[in-house]
Amino acid sequence: MTSQHPTPLSVAIIGGGAAGTLAAIILAKLPGIGGITLLDRDGRFGRGLAYSATQPWHRINVPAYKMGGVGADDPEGFADWLAANGHAAGPDYSTAFVPRAAYGDFLCAQLAEVSAGGRLDMRVDAALAVEKHGDGYRVATASGDIIESRLVFLCIGNHPPSDFAGVVPSPRSISNVWATGALDPIGADDSVMVIGTGATAVDVVIDLVHRGVRHEITMVSRRGLLPRIDVVPVADPDPVKSWPGKTVRGLLQRLREDIRHKAALGIPWQTAIDSFRLYTSELWQGLSATERARFSRHLRSIWLAHRHRLAPDVAALLEQLQRGQRLRVIAGRVTAATTTATGHHVTLRRRGRGTLDLATHWILNCTGPEERYDKVDDPLVQSLLASGRVRPGPNGLGLDVDSGCRLIDRAGHSQPGLFAIGPATRGTFWEVTAASNIRKQLLGVAEAL
Ligand SMILES: Cc1cc2nc3c(=O)[nH]c(=O)nc-3n(C[C@H](O)[C@H](O)[C@H](O)COP(=O)(O)OP(=O)(O)OC[C@H]3O[C@@H](n4cnc5c(N)ncnc54)[C@H](O)[C@@H]3O)c2cc1C
């Protein structure tokens, strides 16, 4: 590509979270890349949503060394940086679940090095539209700027959940718990119902406890599954190399066999899951739309609870809260929620156990990011979909991309030079949210460039 284009390729990256930051760092190292403009509407460069967390109890959900570095050649880059930068007195980074802010600090430090090279222009601005222009694109921004570039990377990350079906929006229902100050109005004696039991829901429960909420907190999800505990990593002595990749049932059977086989050798189930994860993107791409839908319907929440795990002390805290009747977890779904003078009256249909009526001051929607981009209330996403420059991804998830992360337009054509990275590509690759997966995606694109 560089020989066809002797002029360095200019790059616009939309989104300055972990994905956009890693993109800037990785692309800046490539020969043939010219100026890079990195846009973030919130100015959260190097941090984005996950790594802007400020509190020490907002922890990375894997041991630090598993976060990797920034390139292909520094697999323990983050752990090395922790040791070299004032965290030396810290614990062993092969087992430590450090605060998420530390990973944000690490990315910011790497970004500062690229910025010092003079080719990176970081702007606090929102991209509103991307249009084709000659060999490249024009990005229109909220401030009225037009950025012309040959390559555009959409790294727009996680979008807040849509309003929760069945819950009438009220001042006491919080649909975006990630918004700054969202939990501030909750009082210490208020009762709170958290809808969702995944990583975001756990983060919120721990936040509420640290904020001094004394009342019992109720968590509700269809299966009532909290993320499972993580353990000190154990190398897989016998990884499965070939998976029966046509049906979800076949995969589940094989994974169970592997877990049983490893258990007999004294290897924890977590190791089997981690080995399987190396293949999930490839296997997802091989499944039919029907099989993917089957997975989403029956297995998704079980998979997520085993795949996104908890630092052991966070798991211990949740257990302690449950034992002390400060937290209860209900498997069921909200069938009705009406507003009352003090909050809400909620009817739950419990899994296999009839209905339950509850009064709660607050309802918090922690069901995770909106994955269907046709429902995402964002001007850039909506303008891209309306123009036909992009289309929804497989099974309606994210945006459609080809195997090289190039966005596919409504007519089914890959858009040269227009890429999406990270959560927006989950329909095609599924396993694209963890920092390590995002880096892998970017290294693949960099290699192709
Ligand atoms: C609460 C939480 C905890 C997590 N914990 C971990 C963990 O411990 N380990 C792990 O590996 N992964 C974790 N993840 C996964 C996480 O999603 C990824 O690691 C990563 O943060 C995703 O980065 P991103 O840049 O794609 O998205 P985001 O962090 O969402 O960043 C996207 C950025 O793009 C900006 N943006 C969006 N649209 C526009 C626009 N039109 N114009 C300009 N800017 C725009 C946004 O303002 C935002 O700053 C966690 C995720 C969440 C939500």
Side-chain angles (χ1 to χ4, degrees):
M1 196 165 186
T2 46
S3 59
Q4 287 171 339
H5 300 290
T7 322
L9 299 174
S10 52
V11 180
I13 302 172
I14 303 173
T21 298
L22 285 166
I25 297 166
I26 289 170
L27 292 171
K29 290 185 185 154
L30 290 184
I33 294 291
I36 300 175
T37 307
L38 180 60
L39 288 179
D40 193 276
R41 65 176 167 216
D42 305 315
R44 295 196 289 196
F45 300 103
R47 300 186 184 276
L49 177 62
Y51 309 105
S52 293
T54 49
Q55 302 300 338
W57 57 83
H58 291 139
R59 310 269 289 286
I60 284 171
N61 57 15
V62 290
Y65 89 96
K66 282 197 183 175
M67 296 296 279
V70 292
D73 51 354
D74 61 345
E76 299 200 1
F78 177 47
D80 293 345
W81 181 87
L82 284 169
N85 286 274
H87 299 265
D92 171 4
Y93 295 119
S94 62
T95 55
F97 294 74
V98 300
R100 290 209 295 273
Y103 187 70
D105 293 345
F106 165 70
L107 288 183
C108 286
Q110 314 304 312
L111 198 58
E113 276 178 31
V114 175
S115 180
R119 275 161 56 209
L120 178 65
D121 176 13
M122 294 194 276
R123 301 189 197 175
V124 182
D125 205 349
L128 298 181
V130 179
E131 278 158 21
K132 188 90 186 97
H133 177 65
D135 280 348
Y137 297 90
R138 273 184 165 159
V139 179
T141 75
S143 71
D145 274 356
I146 300 287
I147 299 161
E148 290 189 4
S149 68
R150 285 294 303 274
L151 309 178
V152 174
F153 284 75
L154 250 59
C155 301
I156 52 180
N158 297 294
H159 299 276
S162 301
D163 285 341
F164 194 74
V167 177
V168 180
S170 87
R172 284 185 172 238
S173 64
I174 301 175
S175 63
N176 182 7
V177 291
W178 293 322
T180 310
L183 305 184
D184 289 353
I186 300 176
D189 293 314
D190 288 353
S191 50
V192 181
M193 179 177 285
V194 172
I195 302 181
T197 51
T200 298
V202 169
D203 249 21
V204 164
V205 166
I206 292 175
D207 257 348
L208 292 172
V209 170
H210 279 97
R211 282 164 177 261
V213 170
R214 290 184 286 258
H215 201 286
E216 187 181 49
I217 301 167
T218 305
M219 296 175 94
V220 185
S221 71
R222 299 226 166 161
R223 290 181 185 270
L225 287 178
L226 288 171
R228 296 307 196 234
I229 191 169
D230 210 349
V231 290
V232 175
V234 176
D236 191 340
D238 186 18
V240 176
K241 300 220 173 60
S242 156
W243 292 90
K246 287 280 169 266
T247 65
V248 170
R249 187 189 288 266
L251 281 170
L252 180 63
Q253 208 172 338
R254 186 70 189 89
L255 181 58
R256 281 187 166 145
E257 277 167 19
D258 189 41
I259 288 171
R260 278 196 293 271
H261 168 64
K262 293 207 160 75
L265 300 173
I267 307 284
W269 59 263
Q270 289 86 342
T271 298
I273 298 283
D274 290 351
S275 295
F276 179 62
R277 267 191 58 204
L278 300 175
Y279 296 89
T280 43
S281 267
E282 192 187 307
L283 291 167
W284 177 261
Q285 290 173 73
L287 292 175
S288 66
T290 314
E291 283 296 315
R292 289 174 183 172
R294 189 165 285 155
F295 167 82
S296 299
R297 231 179 5 258
H298 302 297
L299 284 174
R300 181 193 153 101
S301 57
I302 300 175
W303 168 248
L304 292 180
H306 290 80
R307 144 82 184 83
H308 295 287
R309 300 192 289 266
L310 295 176
D313 56 333
V314 175
L317 173 61
L318 292 181
E319 213 182 301
Q320 188 191 328
L321 291 170
Q322 283 179 280
R323 272 203 312 268
Q325 294 181 344
R326 295 194 47 206
L327 174 67
R328 70 170 157 175
V329 182
I330 298 178
R333 64 192 180 86
V334 176
T335 52
T338 49
T339 47
T340 62
T342 53
H344 304 266
H345 181 91
V346 183
T347 306
L348 297 173
R349 178 171 303 149
R350 289 179 296 176
R351 206 176 161 82
R353 294 185 54 206
T355 58
L356 178 70
D357 287 316
L358 284 174
T360 182
H361 291 118
W362 296 93
I363 295 182
L364 273 47
N365 185 353
C366 296
T367 50
E370 178 54 74
E371 297 179 339
R372 295 195 63 107
Y373 273 41
D374 51 353
K375 290 190 186 166
V376 165
D377 181 21
D378 177 276
L380 175 64
V381 171
Q382 289 309 326
S383 82
L384 284 166
L385 284 169
S387 68
R389 184 147 306 289
V390 304
R391 66 180 184 185
N395 295 64
L397 302 173
L399 297 173
D400 203 6
V401 290
D402 65 16
S403 57
C405 295
R406 279 180 299 258
L407 282 150
I408 296 177
D409 70 8
R410 193 187 288 150
H413 302 123
S414 294
Q415 307 288 293
L418 180 59
F419 300 91
I421 300 293
T425 64
R426 56 165 62 85
T428 305
F429 300 113
W430 180 253
E431 194 74 42
V432 278
T433 51
S436 53
N437 294 114
I438 291 172
R439 189 180 58 256
K440 197 167 148 195
Q441 243 187 347
L442 280 162
L443 291 172
V445 173
E447 175 81 26
L449 284 172

